[in-house]
Amino acid sequence: MMRGSGSKEVAARGREDLSGASWRRGAPPAPWNGHRCPPPPALASPPIEPSVKRPKPPRSTCLLVCMLNVLSKWISPSSRYLPCCQGTTSGHGVFARGIVSVVPGGSEKKTRRRCVKSRSCLLCVAVVFVGWLSGCSMKGDGHLHYGPIDESARRPAGLTGENLFMPMDLATPTDRRLGSGAPGPAYWQQRVDYDIDCRVDTENDAISASERITYHNNSPHRLDYMWVQLEQNLFNPESLGAKSHAPGGILHGRLTFEGGDHVESITAGGRDLEYHVYDTLARVELPEPIEPGGTFEFEIVWDFEIPPYYRRMGVEEVEDGKIFELAQWFPQVCNYDDVHGWNTLPYLGRGEFYTNYGTYNVNITVPATYTVTATGLLQNESEVLTPTVRDRLAEAMASDEPVWIVSPDEVGDASLRPRTDGEMTWRFRAENVRTFAFAASDAFQWDACKADVTDRDGTVRAVRVQSLYPKEAEAWSADHEDGGSTRVLKHSIEFYSDFVYPYPYPVMTNVNGPEDGMEYPMIIYCGGRENVRGMQGVTDHEVGHSWFPMIVNTDERRHIWMDEGFTTFINIYSRSALYGKPINFDRHKRQTLEVARSKNRQPIALPPDRMWNRWVGNLGYRKAAMGLVLLRELVLGHERFDTAFGEYVERWVFKSPQPDDFFR
Ligand SMILES: [Zn+2]
């Protein structure tokens, strides 16, 4: 997921440490292969841009500047923002989120637009100003906080000046996880395959579906019961996630929407299975234990309403129609591993997901005027695409430049549809993936080209990279002067394939819709539309997640630094190559020091749902990335770091390392 966007910090997009005038790809840094790496750089002159000191005004000044910005925009929409926090205009975003916090039902994006364009802005200003005067404290995370803060809960435990650099207390090695940090001869992981049929009710914004789950017990243990994720239950006002966050926080204030999974049945061989639901989890009692090496098939029938706000998924109306983004939408078996047994941390909204690899066959039924894109490859192109569209896709697979599959003038063109009445079913198949996501819309433009991925044996393989977006997404267009989305996809897939590990999948899709920034296998959601740098930064970040955690499968609910931190680290080098500039981690350094200097600091090794909202980006993303950059640039040098980091990746491709495996 992208920190610095939408549900987290849209305004921060403009502060990405990206410099350079236009889109271009520079020479990539050396790959991980130690034999091809340059020698370590001289310690005295690392290739780092000098830090820029930014004056930070007092928070009261910041708030007043924000209010002046809002008022001046209301009076004159063409007026410019006054600089605010950190010398940027980002304080306006903080201020706008403050408004969302006190106006129940406010959509973050829409409220921000309204607050500069409509007269209701004055009411918002008055409400926030009165709240401010009456003693509420608006912290930098954009939420209004009430009451005293439990300082002791934020203190790092056991890290004093005396023992900070003592040897780490690592878990005892086993035959499953060796003392060297490699998976051992007894390493095992479960596998779960899914066959899903679903129908999207585009009139009522609802999903009805059924699935057959095939569970492969590769563990040496007999399993008497099973845990299943019901992540849609987050969207119920009674969920732990809704109750554990400040009003107006993670669920955008829409606490009156009673969402959640309606499970019609869970059966095996035609017999009902007993199950009990606990928030976003269900424990399913098995008719008989699953023996080691055994398999178990069962079926679930369920439906749910799509929330009227977005949290990793959602629905949005645009000028040409609707955009549906679905994610974490189907009952999925929890990961049973050798470290925690059943991983039953609930879905609270911030911690992402930790699942097993498997094969997915998913049939998605939508109105015939809709286009569907998803994790995996489309299996029935001849049924749902016209010969013209298929010819264009074939042309794209031979092109280094984006090819229009559906151009801006062709959105809604009946001649590009096999038919426009009734419904059509799109069939997708994906192998060796952690989950399955899809998007559907009748408003998509579509362009595509190929990315060249060189496999370990030297074979060059073409991967389709494609973007689907509404016409409002101006920065995404293949005709945009800065290159659009698909060229960034091509850069990122090729760069990370050289830098980390060859991208193993056949396609990567970027979708513009309600979600601000989130990654799934072979498909990412990015919400920005007009800000070129924002679109490029979020796209590159989410593509980077294809390696951490889609290929190296870490536990995102517990160890945010192993996916967000590692991805932010490789982003630094990708953007350096994209813009032809030296690496720049000034923002990472600044935010890391901000935590270190705070009396409210927290350790990096915390589950994301236990981090103070303000520190999630600083710790989980940038402190972890900065540590790795320092190791590579200043401590170990490229050759030694790349050899070690590359070894970690190679060992754990399509496996699940724990933190101790990385430290070793
Ligand atoms: Zn991320």
Side-chain angles (χ1 to χ4, degrees), residues 407-422:
S407 72
D409 298 334
E410 294 172 330
V411 175
D413 185 342
S415 69
L416 289 181
R417 301 273 170 190
R419 55 188 168 82
T420 56
D421 60 321

PDB file of all heavy atoms in Angstrom, residues 407-422:
ATOM      1  N   SER A 407      -9.297   3.410 -27.094  1.00  0.00           N
ATOM      2  CA  SER A 407      -8.825   4.795 -27.050  1.00  0.00           C
ATOM      3  C   SER A 407      -9.863   5.680 -26.364  1.00  0.00           C
ATOM      4  O   SER A 407     -11.012   5.263 -26.149  1.00  0.00           O
ATOM      5  CB  SER A 407      -8.561   5.299 -28.469  1.00  0.00           C
ATOM      6  OG  SER A 407      -9.797   5.497 -29.133  1.00  0.00           O
ATOM      7  N   PRO A 408      -9.497   6.912 -26.028  1.00  0.00           N
ATOM      8  CA  PRO A 408     -10.460   7.802 -25.355  1.00  0.00           C
ATOM      9  C   PRO A 408     -11.755   7.967 -26.144  1.00  0.00           C
ATOM     10  O   PRO A 408     -12.836   8.076 -25.555  1.00  0.00           O
ATOM     11  CB  PRO A 408      -9.695   9.122 -25.251  1.00  0.00           C
ATOM     12  CG  PRO A 408      -8.252   8.725 -25.247  1.00  0.00           C
ATOM     13  CD  PRO A 408      -8.157   7.522 -26.121  1.00  0.00           C
ATOM     14  N   ASP A 409     -11.667   7.967 -27.470  1.00  0.00           N
ATOM     15  CA  ASP A 409     -12.875   8.160 -28.281  1.00  0.00           C
ATOM     16  C   ASP A 409     -13.720   6.896 -28.390  1.00  0.00           C
ATOM     17  O   ASP A 409     -14.839   6.941 -28.906  1.00  0.00           O
ATOM     18  CB  ASP A 409     -12.484   8.612 -29.700  1.00  0.00           C
ATOM     19  CG  ASP A 409     -11.766   9.950 -29.677  1.00  0.00           C
ATOM     20  OD1 ASP A 409     -12.015  10.724 -28.720  1.00  0.00           O
ATOM     21  OD2 ASP A 409     -10.963  10.208 -30.590  1.00  0.00           O
ATOM     22  N   GLU A 410     -13.176   5.770 -27.939  1.00  0.00           N
ATOM     23  CA  GLU A 410     -13.882   4.497 -28.136  1.00  0.00           C
ATOM     24  C   GLU A 410     -14.566   3.969 -26.875  1.00  0.00           C
ATOM     25  O   GLU A 410     -15.135   2.879 -26.897  1.00  0.00           O
ATOM     26  CB  GLU A 410     -12.889   3.446 -28.654  1.00  0.00           C
ATOM     27  CG  GLU A 410     -12.365   3.767 -30.047  1.00  0.00           C
ATOM     28  CD  GLU A 410     -11.240   2.848 -30.470  1.00  0.00           C
ATOM     29  OE1 GLU A 410     -10.489   2.375 -29.577  1.00  0.00           O
ATOM     30  OE2 GLU A 410     -11.091   2.624 -31.690  1.00  0.00           O
ATOM     31  N   VAL A 411     -14.468   4.717 -25.775  1.00  0.00           N
ATOM     32  CA  VAL A 411     -15.153   4.282 -24.552  1.00  0.00           C
ATOM     33  C   VAL A 411     -16.660   4.271 -24.814  1.00  0.00           C
ATOM     34  O   VAL A 411     -17.226   5.255 -25.265  1.00  0.00           O
ATOM     35  CB  VAL A 411     -14.824   5.230 -23.371  1.00  0.00           C
ATOM     36  CG1 VAL A 411     -15.635   4.839 -22.133  1.00  0.00           C
ATOM     37  CG2 VAL A 411     -13.332   5.201 -23.069  1.00  0.00           C
ATOM     38  N   GLY A 412     -17.291   3.139 -24.601  1.00  0.00           N
ATOM     39  CA  GLY A 412     -18.726   3.015 -24.857  1.00  0.00           C
ATOM     40  C   GLY A 412     -19.066   2.680 -26.296  1.00  0.00           C
ATOM     41  O   GLY A 412     -20.247   2.558 -26.645  1.00  0.00           O
ATOM     42  N   ASP A 413     -18.051   2.512 -27.155  1.00  0.00           N
ATOM     43  CA  ASP A 413     -18.282   2.200 -28.573  1.00  0.00           C
ATOM     44  C   ASP A 413     -18.774   0.751 -28.704  1.00  0.00           C
ATOM     45  O   ASP A 413     -18.053  -0.196 -28.388  1.00  0.00           O
ATOM     46  CB  ASP A 413     -16.971   2.401 -29.333  1.00  0.00           C
ATOM     47  CG  ASP A 413     -17.149   2.219 -30.835  1.00  0.00           C
ATOM     48  OD1 ASP A 413     -18.162   1.611 -31.244  1.00  0.00           O
ATOM     49  OD2 ASP A 413     -16.272   2.671 -31.587  1.00  0.00           O
ATOM     50  N   ALA A 414     -19.994   0.593 -29.185  1.00  0.00           N
ATOM     51  CA  ALA A 414     -20.592  -0.747 -29.269  1.00  0.00           C
ATOM     52  C   ALA A 414     -19.844  -1.648 -30.245  1.00  0.00           C
ATOM     53  O   ALA A 414     -19.873  -2.875 -30.113  1.00  0.00           O
ATOM     54  CB  ALA A 414     -22.058  -0.632 -29.678  1.00  0.00           C
ATOM     55  N   SER A 415     -19.146  -1.057 -31.225  1.00  0.00           N
ATOM     56  CA  SER A 415     -18.453  -1.887 -32.216  1.00  0.00           C
ATOM     57  C   SER A 415     -17.264  -2.632 -31.607  1.00  0.00           C
ATOM     58  O   SER A 415     -16.743  -3.569 -32.215  1.00  0.00           O
ATOM     59  CB  SER A 415     -17.979  -1.019 -33.385  1.00  0.00           C
ATOM     60  OG  SER A 415     -16.938  -0.158 -32.959  1.00  0.00           O
ATOM     61  N   LEU A 416     -16.814  -2.218 -30.409  1.00  0.00           N
ATOM     62  CA  LEU A 416     -15.703  -2.911 -29.751  1.00  0.00           C
ATOM     63  C   LEU A 416     -16.203  -3.922 -28.720  1.00  0.00           C
ATOM     64  O   LEU A 416     -15.431  -4.416 -27.903  1.00  0.00           O
ATOM     65  CB  LEU A 416     -14.775  -1.898 -29.075  1.00  0.00           C
ATOM     66  CG  LEU A 416     -13.930  -1.036 -30.014  1.00  0.00           C
ATOM     67  CD1 LEU A 416     -13.036  -0.100 -29.217  1.00  0.00           C
ATOM     68  CD2 LEU A 416     -13.087  -1.896 -30.948  1.00  0.00           C
ATOM     69  N   ARG A 417     -17.492  -4.221 -28.758  1.00  0.00           N
ATOM     70  CA  ARG A 417     -18.081  -5.200 -27.838  1.00  0.00           C
ATOM     71  C   ARG A 417     -18.665  -6.361 -28.636  1.00  0.00           C
ATOM     72  O   ARG A 417     -19.302  -6.137 -29.678  1.00  0.00           O
ATOM     73  CB  ARG A 417     -19.225  -4.560 -27.045  1.00  0.00           C
ATOM     74  CG  ARG A 417     -18.805  -3.373 -26.225  1.00  0.00           C
ATOM     75  CD  ARG A 417     -18.305  -3.825 -24.883  1.00  0.00           C
ATOM     76  NE  ARG A 417     -17.677  -2.723 -24.167  1.00  0.00           N
ATOM     77  CZ  ARG A 417     -16.989  -2.870 -23.045  1.00  0.00           C
ATOM     78  NH1 ARG A 417     -16.834  -4.077 -22.539  1.00  0.00           N
ATOM     79  NH2 ARG A 417     -16.441  -1.854 -22.443  1.00  0.00           N
ATOM     80  N   PRO A 418     -18.498  -7.587 -28.159  1.00  0.00           N
ATOM     81  CA  PRO A 418     -19.170  -8.707 -28.833  1.00  0.00           C
ATOM     82  C   PRO A 418     -20.678  -8.494 -28.843  1.00  0.00           C
ATOM     83  O   PRO A 418     -21.363  -8.841 -29.788  1.00  0.00           O
ATOM     84  CB  PRO A 418     -18.780  -9.915 -27.987  1.00  0.00           C
ATOM     85  CG  PRO A 418     -17.510  -9.520 -27.309  1.00  0.00           C
ATOM     86  CD  PRO A 418     -17.632  -8.046 -27.070  1.00  0.00           C
ATOM     87  N   ARG A 419     -21.198  -7.932 -27.771  1.00  0.00           N
ATOM     88  CA  ARG A 419     -22.597  -7.525 -27.693  1.00  0.00           C
ATOM     89  C   ARG A 419     -22.732  -6.543 -26.540  1.00  0.00           C
ATOM     90  O   ARG A 419     -21.812  -6.414 -25.713  1.00  0.00           O
ATOM     91  CB  ARG A 419     -23.524  -8.722 -27.497  1.00  0.00           C
ATOM     92  CG  ARG A 419     -23.194  -9.600 -26.315  1.00  0.00           C
ATOM     93  CD  ARG A 419     -24.046 -10.866 -26.323  1.00  0.00           C
ATOM     94  NE  ARG A 419     -23.563 -11.846 -25.370  1.00  0.00           N
ATOM     95  CZ  ARG A 419     -23.843 -11.845 -24.077  1.00  0.00           C
ATOM     96  NH1 ARG A 419     -24.612 -10.881 -23.583  1.00  0.00           N
ATOM     97  NH2 ARG A 419     -23.380 -12.770 -23.275  1.00  0.00           N
ATOM     98  N   THR A 420     -23.848  -5.846 -26.481  1.00  0.00           N
ATOM     99  CA  THR A 420     -24.015  -4.838 -25.435  1.00  0.00           C
ATOM    100  C   THR A 420     -25.231  -5.111 -24.562  1.00  0.00           C
ATOM    101  O   THR A 420     -25.525  -4.335 -23.659  1.00  0.00           O
ATOM    102  CB  THR A 420     -24.163  -3.433 -26.056  1.00  0.00           C
ATOM    103  OG1 THR A 420     -25.252  -3.458 -26.989  1.00  0.00           O
ATOM    104  CG2 THR A 420     -22.896  -3.008 -26.757  1.00  0.00           C
ATOM    105  N   ASP A 421     -25.956  -6.200 -24.851  1.00  0.00           N
ATOM    106  CA  ASP A 421     -27.115  -6.508 -24.015  1.00  0.00           C
ATOM    107  C   ASP A 421     -26.813  -7.718 -23.129  1.00  0.00           C
ATOM    108  O   ASP A 421     -25.964  -8.553 -23.457  1.00  0.00           O
ATOM    109  CB  ASP A 421     -28.347  -6.800 -24.884  1.00  0.00           C
ATOM    110  CG  ASP A 421     -28.099  -7.980 -25.802  1.00  0.00           C
ATOM    111  OD1 ASP A 421     -26.962  -8.087 -26.326  1.00  0.00           O
ATOM    112  OD2 ASP A 421     -29.005  -8.811 -25.985  1.00  0.00           O
ATOM    113  N   GLY A 422     -27.499  -7.784 -22.009  1.00  0.00           N
ATOM    114  CA  GLY A 422     -27.325  -8.924 -21.111  1.00  0.00           C
ATOM    115  C   GLY A 422     -25.996  -8.887 -20.370  1.00  0.00           C
ATOM    116  O   GLY A 422     -25.420  -7.821 -20.147  1.00  0.00           O
TER     117      GLY A 422
END
